[in-house]
């Protein structure tokens, strides 16, 4: 015959047993202070480049690049990402909400093909 040993269950405090320390708000961290993805993930903040397919941030079409840049707009480590990409001289992709082409930040991705001979009214 075998004996099964079960660990004691921890007691959960009821609402009358909670103290003011338990009810205190966690220390507020300004999103501007976050410098690493690990810090943001520890706080449970969503990181777009971890939640979406990485191919989104290395897209070919201008519309997909604009979509990737819009995803970066909600990222809590956007500034740190851009700074890191500039320091590393990233050659391609969307980093910190900016598009890098051949290591240079550019405003927009041009579509494939030959440029138009005349200006197109936007």
């Amino acid at each position: 015959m075998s004996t099964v040993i079960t660990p004691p269950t921890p007691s959960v405090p009821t609402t009358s047993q909670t103290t003011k320390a338990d009810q205190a708000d966690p220390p507020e961290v300004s999103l501007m202070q976050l410098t690493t993805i690990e810090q943001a993930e520890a706080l449970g903040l969503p990181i777009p480049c971890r939640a979406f397919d990485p191919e989104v941030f290395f897209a070919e079409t201008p519309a997909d690049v604009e979509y990737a840049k819009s995803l970066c707009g909600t990222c809590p480590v956007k500034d740190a990402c851009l700074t890191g990409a500039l320091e590393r001289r990233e050659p391609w992709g969307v980093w910190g909400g900016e598009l890098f082409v051949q290591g240079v930040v550019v405003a927009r991705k041009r579509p494939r093909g030959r440029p138009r001979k005349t200006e197109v009214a936007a």
Side-chain angles (χ1 to χ4, degrees):
M1 181 186 313
S2 63
T3 306
V4 177
I5 301 173
T6 58
T9 58
S11 64
V12 178
T14 61
T15 55
S16 62
Q17 294 175 337
T18 57
T19 63
K20 281 203 174 239
D22 294 335
Q23 296 172 354
D25 292 330
E28 289 196 25
V29 176
S30 169
L31 294 182
M32 301 310 280
Q33 296 173 348
L34 297 178
T35 57
T36 65
I37 289 177
E38 289 78 21
Q39 288 176 336
E41 286 180 334
L43 293 172
L45 299 171
I47 308 296
C49 60
R50 298 276 174 106
F52 291 88
D53 182 18
E55 293 294 320
V56 171
F57 300 94
F58 297 94
E60 291 293 324
T61 65
D64 290 343
V65 169
E66 291 303 315
Y67 174 67
K69 288 168 69 173
S70 72
L71 292 175
C72 290
T74 62
C75 185
V77 291
K78 177 181 171 181
D79 294 336
C81 179
L82 179 59
T83 302
L86 289 169
E87 289 173 357
R88 291 186 307 273
R89 297 182 179 161
E90 288 291 341
W92 306 102
V94 175
W95 298 88
E98 298 293 334
L99 174 64
F100 285 74
V101 175
Q102 296 180 351
V104 178
V105 175
V106 295
R108 302 226 181 268
K109 178 154 179 98
R110 293 178 58 181
R112 293 182 60 185
R114 187 174 185 175
R116 295 179 185 258
K117 291 183 179 182
T118 58
E119 289 284 324
V120 175

